[in-house]
Structure formats: structure tokens, C-alpha cells
């Protein structure tokens, strides 16, 4: 047996455990990220490359802690939080999470609607409805075929997203020196701070934090202490691979905009950016971008609805039919589209609303995974605990800043 075959055989147990982080990572490449990263590149060139990298590194820690809670404590984050709250507090906590879920779905449905308009000229309301129906079909497949099949579908869409947003880089690669210079942390005026906060707010999303604990719990169930080490090692690989792919896609969005859209007027919307890419890079690159956006909207909408169902069950102990659960967040998004709202403005507003939910997810996550009463010997070590609180505090502060700057502007 060759050395390569031995290595592949040794990696098979780890490979078989990959998947949950890839589902959660869809939240990191949703239409909100597209809008934020394109705006960053178009307005500030390569200045904020470092924000994408920093946000991705923070996301790695956050998602690992969420999965760790599901594996070690066999609890979802909503279950763990709900068990420590009184009934009125649980209902209030669920209320804010549901509002955040609606804002999340608004971004995903708008993204799908814009993509279908760019590809086929469909009216936004029809595109939004189609996005909702397809995401519902994906959830129906999950209920019938199981989580692994759902993971495979989402991973397939993630691959389409990656190709769609990275195609322009292959056609017109940016200057390596300018990209490297963008790794130096700095800002240029209050506008760049606002964009940076929006990028971070669009990256670390509450429903992904809630969801990953549930994905890990559903995949592995109750885990014997002797198996935890192997599962946690596999989870680190899972999170590392998934976040590296999501980070590459986010970076590609920014680099494409920085390379081709800087100084171009009319690119403050996804439609305008698509038109500019078609003119400057070519129609094939624009087509790939639209297909990537469609895959993003479809995948993130189904994942968001999955997270909403898990949050409701964990906090309220309620399980409702799939159709009702899907409609709960889809209908408000369709109503906003039907009222003729500016889709780009609605997309930005949804990210601001999401910012309100960040502290409610991150602070309990770090607190619970650092508690020996919950995690036993697997509780966060002092360095991890300190880093977790630093990340939670920084992300929360930047999201508060995003809300303040948006209100001020």
C-alpha cells in the first residue's frame, strides 16, 4: 500500500464527520455579505481586505464553540439558554430571535429575487416566491431523507457559490501587491468604519451561531466522553475547511469589486454591480456572479428556516409543521417586496436588524462553553475563554457602532 493510500485511509474517519460546519457557513456567504463586500470594494478598493480576514478568523472560533456545545453537552444553544430562563424571559428571548430570523429571511429572499431578475427578468415578487418555494422543497427533502442528504445539497450549492463569485478573479486577477497592502489594518474616514462594521455584521450572524450547535447535536447525538476528543478534532477540521471556503468567497467578492468597480458610478446596488462586471469583465463573469447569488439565496434561505425551527423548538418546546414555519418568516419578506420597497435599502436594513441579535447569541455561547457545570472537563480553557470574550465583545461593540452610524447617517 502506498503512502498516499495510507494517508487517505487515515483521513476517512475525519472526512466522514465533515458537513455541519459547511451548512452553517452558508450564513457567511449570503446576499447580505454580497452587498457589504461589494460596497467595500467599490468604495474603498483594497483598503478593507483585512476586515474580511479578521471576520473570518473570529467566525472560526464562534462556530467551533457552537459545535462544541452541541457535541459535549448534547444541547442546542437555544435549549441551553431556555433552560436557564423563566417562561416570560424565554418568550421575550424567542421574540428577538424571531425578529432576527425574519430579517435574515428578508436578506435571503431579496438576494434570490435579485438573482432571478438578473438571470430571467422575473419580477421581484415572483422571484422571492420562487426562492421561498425552493427553500421549502429543500427542507422537505431534509425531513424525508435526513440531515446528511441536506448537508450534501447545501455543500453542492456552496460549491456553485464559490465558482460563481470566484470566476471573475480567474478572468481578471487583482494585483497581489495591492491585496497584500489591504491586509494592513486601517480606515479612511467614518464611511469606511461603517462599511467595515456592516461587513462584520453580515459575517457573524446570530442564526448560524444557534444553528451549528443543533447541527452537531443532530449529527452525533449523545457522545461518550472517550469519543469526544476525536469528534472535537474532526470538528476543528470541519470548521477550518468550511470557514476557509466561505472566507475565500467573501474575499473574492471584495477583490472583484476593488479591481473592477472602484470609481464606477451606479454600483451601490447588486444590480448595478452586476451590470458593471458585465461591462468591465465580460458577460460570462456577470452570469457566474448571478448564478452564485441565486445559489446563495436558495441555500441561505433554507438554512435560515432550519435555524428558525430549531430556535423555536429549543426556547418554546414547540414543533410546528414545516409549511407554517417557513411561511412565518417568508410572508413578511414577500410583503416588503410587494410594497415596492427599494431592495438594496431593504437588504442594508436587514443587516442592521441582525446586529441587534448578535449579543443575545454570542454572550450566552461563550458563557455556557466556559461553564464546567455544562461542559465538564471540556469547558473552555483560560486562553480560549479570554479569546472568546474578546471576540464576543468586539463583535458586539462593532454591531452597536453599525446601528449608531446607520441611524446617524
Amino acid at each position: 500500500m502506498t503512502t498516499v493510500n495510507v494517508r487517505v485511509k487515515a483521513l476517512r474517519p475525519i472526512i466522514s464527520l465533515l458537513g455541519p460546519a459547511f451548512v452553517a457557513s452558508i450564513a457567511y456567504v449570503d446576499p447580505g455579505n454580497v452587498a457589504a463586500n461589494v460596497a467595500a470594494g467599490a468604495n474603498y478598493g483594497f483598503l478593507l481586505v483585512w476586515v474580511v480576514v479578521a471576520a473570518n478568523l473570529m467566525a472560526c472560533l464562534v462556530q467551533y464553540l457552537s459545535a462544541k456545545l452541541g457535541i459535549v453537552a448534547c444541547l442546542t444553544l437555544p435549549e441551553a439558554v431556555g433552560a436557564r430562563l423563566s417562561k416570560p424571559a424565554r418568550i421575550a428571548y424567542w421574540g428577538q430571535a424571531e425578529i432576527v430570523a425574519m430579517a435574515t429571511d428578508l436578506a435571503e429572499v431579496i438576494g434570490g429575487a435579485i438573482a432571478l431578475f438578473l438571470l430571467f427578468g422575473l419580477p421581484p415578487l415572483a422571484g422571492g416566491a420562487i426562492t421561498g418555494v425552493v427553500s421549502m422543497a429543500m427542507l422537505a427533502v431534509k425531513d424525508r431523507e435526513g440531515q446528511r442528504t441536506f448537508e450534501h445539497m447545501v455543500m453542492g450549492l456552496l460549491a456553485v457559490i464559490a465558482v460563481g463569485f470566484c470566476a471573475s478573479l480567474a478572468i481578471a486577477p487583482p494585483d497581489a501587491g495591492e491585496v497584500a497592502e489591504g491586509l494592513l489594518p486601517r480606515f479612511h474616514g467614518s464611511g469606511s468604519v461603517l462599511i467595515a462594521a456592516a461587513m462584520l455584521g453580515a459575517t457573524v450572524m446570530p442564526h448560524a451561531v444557534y444553528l451549528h450547535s443543533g447541527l452537531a447535536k443532530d449529527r452525533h447525538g449523545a457522545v461518550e466522553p472517550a469519543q469526544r476528543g476525536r469528534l472535537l478534532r474532526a470538528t476543528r477540521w470541519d470548521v477550518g475547511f468550511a470557514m476557509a471556503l466561505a472566507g475565500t468567497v467573501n474575499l473574492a467578492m471584495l477583490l472583484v469589486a476593488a479591481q473592477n468597480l472602484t470609481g464606477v458610478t451606479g454600483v451601490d446596488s447588486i444590480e448595478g454591480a452586476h451590470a458593471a462586471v458585465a461591462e468591465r469583465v465580460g458577460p460570462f463573469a456577470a452570469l457566474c456572479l448571478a448564478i452564485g447569488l441565486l445559489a446563495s439565496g436558495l441555500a441561505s434561505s433554507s438554512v435560515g428556516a432550519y435555524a428558525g425551527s430549531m430556535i423555536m423548538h429549543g426556547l418554546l418546546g414547540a414543533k410546528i409543521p414545516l409549511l407554517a414555519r417557513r411561511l412565518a418568516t417568508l410572508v413578511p419578506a414577500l410583503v416588503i417586496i410587494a410594497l415596492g420597497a427599494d431592495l438594496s435599502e431593504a437588504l442594508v436594513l436587514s443587516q442592521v436588524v441582525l446586529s441587534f441579535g448578535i449579543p443575545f447569541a454570542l454572550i450566552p455561547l461563550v458563557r455556557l462553553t466556559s461553564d464546567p457545570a455544562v461542559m465538564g472537563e471540556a469547558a473552555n480553557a483560560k486562553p480560549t475563554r479570554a479569546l472568546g470574550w474578546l471576540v464576543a465583545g468586539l463583535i458586539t461593540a462593532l454591531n452597536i457602532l453599525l446601528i449608531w452610524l446607520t441611524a446617524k447617517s
Side-chain angles (χ1 to χ4, degrees):
M1 185 179 295
T2 65
T3 303
V4 173
N5 288 336
V6 171
R7 289 176 179 173
V8 170
K9 187 174 181 180
L11 287 174
R12 279 177 185 168
I14 291 178
I15 293 173
S16 68
L17 297 173
L18 302 182
F22 286 86
V23 175
S25 73
I26 285 294
Y28 294 84
V29 291
D30 78 337
N33 290 85
V34 179
N37 289 318
V38 168
N43 290 300
Y44 295 99
F46 299 94
L47 178 74
L48 299 177
V49 167
W50 68 273
V51 177
V52 175
V53 176
N56 200 248
L57 291 175
M58 288 188 279
C60 286
L61 176 63
V62 169
Q63 295 306 138
Y64 173 69
L65 292 182
S66 180
K68 182 180 177 181
L69 178 67
I71 291 170
V72 176
C74 199
L75 290 169
T76 69
L77 181 56
E79 287 172 342
V81 171
R84 288 157 177 78
L85 298 177
S86 64
K87 185 174 181 180
R90 280 202 313 273
I91 294 174
Y93 191 97
W94 169 77
Q96 64 81 27
E98 196 66 27
I99 291 171
V100 168
M102 290 179 184
T104 300
D105 215 25
L106 175 61
E108 328 302 27
V109 171
I110 286 176
I114 291 174
L116 288 169
F117 170 75
L118 295 175
L119 289 168
F120 306 109
L122 291 180
L125 184 59
I130 290 172
T131 301
V133 169
V134 173
S135 66
M136 193 180 303
M138 291 178 63
L139 291 171
V141 171
K142 174 201 167 291
D143 281 355
R144 181 171 179 174
E145 303 295 333
Q147 182 175 324
R148 292 299 296 271
T149 300
F150 181 72
E151 288 176 3
H152 293 155
M153 286 192 300
V154 172
M155 290 168 75
L157 287 172
L158 182 58
V160 174
I161 295 168
V163 172
F165 287 110
C166 293
S168 295
L169 288 183
I171 297 171
D175 180 79
E178 290 184 297
V179 176
E181 187 178 347
L183 293 172
L184 178 66
R186 65 200 192 282
F187 294 105
H188 183 68
S190 61
S192 65
V193 178
L194 175 61
I195 291 283
M199 292 165 67
L200 190 62
T203 300
V204 181
M205 300 181 71
H207 75 283
V209 181
Y210 294 122
L211 178 64
H212 204 161
S213 58
L215 292 168
K217 175 190 172 184
D218 292 346
R219 168 70 90 88
H220 305 299
V223 179
E224 295 295 328
Q227 296 179 312
R228 285 177 187 167
R230 181 174 69 93
L231 282 178
L232 291 175
R233 284 193 298 273
T235 297
R236 285 192 285 270
W237 281 101
D238 192 25
V239 171
F241 285 141
M243 291 299 105
L245 180 56
T248 300
V249 173
N250 278 309
L251 188 58
M253 296 174 192
L254 187 147
L255 295 181
V256 168
Q259 175 78 358
N260 303 289
L261 308 183
T262 302
V264 179
T265 58
V267 295
D268 53 346
S269 67
I270 293 178
E271 300 96 312
H274 174 267
V277 168
E279 180 181 347
R280 293 192 156 223
V281 186
F284 178 73
L287 175 63
C288 289
L289 189 151
I291 292 173
L293 180 63
L294 178 59
S296 171
L298 296 176
S300 56
S301 185
S302 62
V303 169
Y306 183 5
S309 177
M310 189 202 69
I311 292 167
M312 176 178 281
H313 179 65
L315 290 170
L316 303 183
K319 281 191 173 182
I320 63 174
L322 175 66
L323 178 61
R325 174 62 247 180
R326 188 66 195 92
L327 292 177
T329 53
L330 177 62
V331 169
L334 294 180
V335 168
I336 290 174
I337 294 174
L339 291 174
D342 183 287
L343 297 188
S344 295
E345 289 184 3
L347 197 58
V348 172
L349 180 60
S350 73
Q351 302 308 301
V352 176
V353 175
L354 285 173
S355 299
F356 285 98
I358 288 287
F360 294 98
L362 288 186
I363 294 173
L365 175 66
V366 179
R367 173 70 183 85
L368 288 165
T369 54
S370 299
D371 188 351
V374 177
M375 305 294 288
E377 294 181 356
N380 295 335
K382 287 184 178 180
T384 304
R385 191 184 317 152
L387 190 58
W389 283 120
L390 176 63
V391 168
L394 181 60
I395 292 175
T396 299
L398 283 173
N399 277 278
I400 292 173
L401 178 64
L402 170 62
I403 295 168
W404 180 73
L405 289 174
T406 302
K408 186 179 177 181
S409 62

